Amino acid sequence: MKILIADAINEKGVENLKQAGEVVVQTDITPDELAETIHEYDGIVVRSRTKLTKEIIDRADNLKIIARAGVGVDNIDLDAATEKGIMVVNSPESTSITVAEHTMGLLLALARKLTIADKSVKEGKWEKKRFMGLELRNKTLGVIGMGRIGSQVVNRCKAFEMDAIVYDPYLPEDVAKQMGVVLTDLETVLKNADFITIHVPLTPETKHLISDNEFEIMKEEAFIANCARGGIIDEDALYTALSENKIGGAALDVYEDEPPAEDCKLFELDNIVLTPHIAASTKEAQRDAAIIVADEIIELANGGTPQNVLNMPRIDNTTYKKLIPYIELCDKLGSFISQAINGKIKELEVVYAGKLADVENIEFLTRAILKGAINPYLGTPINAVNAPLVANERGISIIEGKKNDARGYGSLIKVTARTNKETLSAEGTSLHEPRILKVNDYWVDVKPKGHMFIAKYEDIPGSIGKIGTALGERGVNIGIMQVGREKEEGKALMILTLDKEIPKDVIEEIRSLDNVFEAVRLEL
């Protein structure tokens, strides 16, 4: 791989990346230079400076992975990357502790008026009465967004003997109980919290989540801090609330415009603490971020799947290890069935049986099936990142199901494809390697690999011989043969693995045989 480091990262990450291939460090690269050279790279590492727009990504013909050494990906066009089949990864774990600690620092600064007290002393004043503060003990913390960072803030606030109420529409009730927090709605949090901290991404739904109406709901002495993303708090509404003393104070590490304009009205106020987007800026966090994204790229270079892919379902390492033996099988099943069926696929039904039925997040395997099913017909290969998007564009609907019965195997995967002409199913498992065990109602045992051939024919004496003769006369040698049949002298299915590809005219010759219903060649 050839990897561009477009923004400065910790040297440990740079050194580790050399395990993945050639590393080019150009941390002053301009947008125009990046647009001209992006096609040369297989991977790119950025922080927040470099903007990967759709225009640049559209030129990234060889790019396989974009790695953000940090959490936010506002500077990366995720939709464009997904359409291009480029993985986008970040390093969410690296900054959780760092941002949580910074949040605590802001809460303490608000409660004890530390920043204006510092300024006063440096001006030669001694205004002890002016800076009467509050304890955190016995106060209520309101958390908006109970993800990695929000939960770390809660842990630290418990040490200060605070109570916690949380607004997070995606947090299950039982998980909230385990964390020792009260899960409620946004209005209740705003109405009852003494200190409010925000830890959600900036989306159309969260933009100006806190505005005039929300400040009216809050306590007059309440404090609010935002170390998440600028724009979640409406800064005009915040200025009004602070200047009219509708709330006690605020602290911001992030802003709607960064850096804020020189004449930003918030600068006039004493009841606000401002820091320059440094919540994630510690030596430990930057080191860890660099190491994490380097590891993700190395994993991809070694043929694995990164763990923090933002445009793919994220799975934990334990689940991923369970799925590894079945990834190739799913790809082969998808490819096998799409080449063997007549007509344009309208629907794919996937049923996971046995141990796989107990895996909660199985979408990873479904994506592998889609990739295998669609790739044989595209000039530009797709991958697991954009397979669902391409399937949707081609009108292919996906149905997933699970069942316990795996017919004596550890796990089975059955893929059924439907077109306007026919329905075809293939069922397989992994026995140290992918095996197809059943095609429609025909039991077989086939390793899906290489040049293959399928024939459906009438099970009468001489049928197999005629097909074999047609192949032999054209110099096509049979490596492996598998035959399945419904009953004696009924319909039968033959699957062959061949030493070379069958010429198209030989396929037509076999199809013309009186007792042959269908003949198809496959490349797996």
Side-chain angles (χ1 to χ4, degrees):
M1 295 183 74
K2 186 176 181 181
I3 303 146
L4 172 65
I5 299 177
D7 294 330
I9 64 172
N10 185 273
E11 280 301 316
K12 180 62 177 174
V14 178
E15 287 302 311
N16 288 2
L17 274 172
K18 292 177 182 178
Q19 299 176 40
E22 178 186 353
V23 176
V24 176
V25 179
Q26 192 175 353
T27 55
D28 60 350
I29 192 168
T30 67
D32 288 343
E33 291 172 337
L34 185 60
E36 289 297 319
T37 60
I38 190 68
H39 66 279
E40 300 175 8
Y41 298 99
D42 301 289
I44 182 171
V45 178
V46 300
R47 289 182 63 193
S48 56
R49 183 191 73 91
T50 300
K51 313 299 180 187
L52 290 173
T53 62
K54 177 175 172 55
E55 291 71 26
I56 290 176
I57 289 173
D58 283 345
R59 296 189 178 196
D61 293 334
N62 295 308
L63 202 63
K64 300 173 182 64
I65 186 168
I66 297 169
R68 165 69 162 94
V71 180
V73 288
D74 308 47
N75 54 322
I76 301 169
D77 191 321
L78 272 176
D79 291 336
T82 300
E83 290 174 9
K84 197 81 172 177
I86 302 169
M87 290 184 185
V88 180
V89 302
N90 65 350
S91 53
E93 301 91 347
S94 64
T95 59
S96 298
I97 302 298
T98 290
V99 175
E101 289 184 354
H102 192 80
T103 300
M104 290 305 304
L106 293 181
L107 296 182
L108 287 166
L110 288 170
R112 301 306 300 270
K113 302 181 182 180
L114 298 180
T115 55
I116 54 175
D118 171 77
K119 180 181 177 183
S120 173
V121 173
K122 289 177 178 177
E123 290 175 347
K125 302 174 184 177
W126 196 256
E127 305 173 291
K128 293 181 66 174
K129 292 183 180 180
R130 180 187 172 195
F131 304 123
M132 182 67 67
L134 296 171
E135 288 185 352
L136 298 186
R137 183 171 62 107
N138 294 329
K139 301 300 190 298
T140 298
L141 173 72
V143 182
I144 301 174
M146 192 64 171
R148 290 178 304 274
I149 297 171
S151 60
Q152 292 291 345
V153 172
V154 167
N155 289 340
R156 282 149 183 77
C157 284
K158 285 181 179 178
F160 285 85
E161 301 181 43
M162 299 181 77
D163 297 319
I165 56 176
V166 172
Y167 168 66
D168 189 326
Y170 305 105
L171 184 68
E173 186 74 44
D174 58 336
V175 175
K177 288 181 180 178
Q178 292 173 10
M179 291 178 164
V181 298
V182 176
L183 187 62
T184 185
D185 57 81
L186 179 60
E187 183 174 346
T188 300
V189 168
L190 296 174
K191 185 177 180 179
N192 294 283
D194 300 297
F195 293 83
I196 298 168
T197 179
I198 298 171
H199 303 288
V200 295
L202 179 64
T203 67
E205 290 73 29
T206 62
K207 184 174 176 60
H208 288 182
L209 180 69
I210 307 299
S211 192
D212 292 305
N213 290 337
E214 288 69 32
F215 287 121
E216 292 291 340
I217 296 171
M218 291 167 59
K219 294 180 178 182
E220 286 187 6
E221 65 275 17
F223 299 97
I224 187 167
N226 184 16
C227 289
R229 281 289 178 266
I232 297 171
I233 294 179
D234 180 343
E235 290 180 9
D236 289 334
L238 176 63
Y239 175 79
T240 300
L242 291 172
S243 60
E244 297 179 4
N245 294 314
K246 292 182 178 180
I247 62 173
L252 300 182
D253 185 58
V254 290
Y255 308 85
E256 295 195 55
D257 295 309
E258 294 190 0
E262 291 183 6
D263 60 351
C264 177
K265 294 185 294 184
L266 297 175
F267 295 170
E268 305 167 5
L269 305 173
D270 282 339
N271 53 349
I272 188 168
V273 178
L274 305 175
T275 55
H277 203 151
I278 58 171
S281 298
T282 62
K283 293 178 180 179
E284 294 86 352
Q286 297 306 312
R287 177 202 63 209
D288 292 347
I291 292 172
I292 288 170
V293 295
D295 288 345
E296 296 283 62
I297 294 174
I298 292 167
E299 180 70 17
L300 182 65
N302 291 335
T305 301
Q307 294 296 297
N308 296 310
V309 186
L310 298 176
N311 45 359
M312 280 178 63
R314 187 179 180 193
I315 56 176
D316 60 84
N317 194 48
T318 301
T319 302
Y320 178 62
K321 288 179 179 178
K322 291 179 182 178
L323 299 185
I324 285 176
Y326 299 96
I327 295 173
E328 184 182 1
L329 169 68
C330 287
D331 184 271
K332 296 294 186 182
L333 282 171
S335 183
F336 178 91
I337 207 163
S338 69
Q339 293 182 64
I341 199 168
N342 288 311
K344 182 181 177 182
I345 295 176
K346 297 292 186 182
E347 181 181 276
L348 279 173
E349 179 181 354
V350 186
V351 177
Y352 299 98
K355 293 179 181 178
L356 287 176
D358 297 327
V359 178
E360 184 175 344
N361 188 352
I362 211 75
E363 184 186 347
F364 199 83
L365 295 184
T366 303
R367 285 174 176 250
I369 292 170
L370 285 174
K371 170 179 171 288
I374 299 171
N375 261 331
Y377 302 103
L378 295 183
T380 303
I382 66 167
N383 55 32
V385 173
N386 58 358
L389 181 66
V390 176
N392 183 62
E393 290 173 347
R394 291 175 170 263
I396 301 174
S397 60
I398 312 299
I399 301 172
E400 283 185 348
K402 295 180 180 180
K403 65 179 185 179
N404 294 325
D405 183 15
R407 299 176 185 173
Y409 294 92
S411 291
L412 283 176
I413 301 173
K414 182 179 182 180
V415 181
T416 302
R418 297 180 178 90
T419 72
N420 58 344
K421 295 182 179 180
E422 68 171 328
T423 297
L424 180 67
S425 66
E427 197 166 346
T429 189
S430 179
L431 301 172
H432 305 295
E433 62 182 358
R435 309 293 296 191
I436 294 179
L437 305 175
K438 196 175 184 182
V439 178
N440 280 350
D441 295 322
Y442 303 100
W443 285 99
V444 293
D445 185 3
V446 178
K447 181 179 179 181
K449 185 176 182 180
H451 309 294
M452 300 190 73
F453 168 80
I454 298 176
K456 301 174 187 176
Y457 61 95
E458 190 175 355
D459 185 27
I460 59 175
S463 295
I464 294 175
K466 290 179 180 179
I467 295 171
T469 298
L471 294 170
E473 287 178 348
R474 299 299 294 271
V476 180
N477 190 52
I478 298 173
I480 300 172
M481 175 186 290
Q482 281 286 318
V483 175
R485 61 182 182 178
E486 297 174 341
K487 60 182 180 179
E488 290 186 21
E489 298 185 358
K491 292 181 179 179
L493 179 82
M494 175 193 298
I495 302 180
L496 305 178
T497 301
L498 308 168
D499 290 349
K500 67 177 184 180
E501 182 181 358
I502 305 178
K504 187 176 180 180
D505 59 336
V506 177
I507 294 289
E508 296 299 328
E509 180 184 338
I510 293 173
R511 284 177 181 162
S512 67
L513 296 173
D514 291 339
N515 55 341
V516 174
F517 307 117
E518 184 59 270
V520 181
R521 62 179 178 180
L522 304 87
E523 290 296 321
L524 297 172

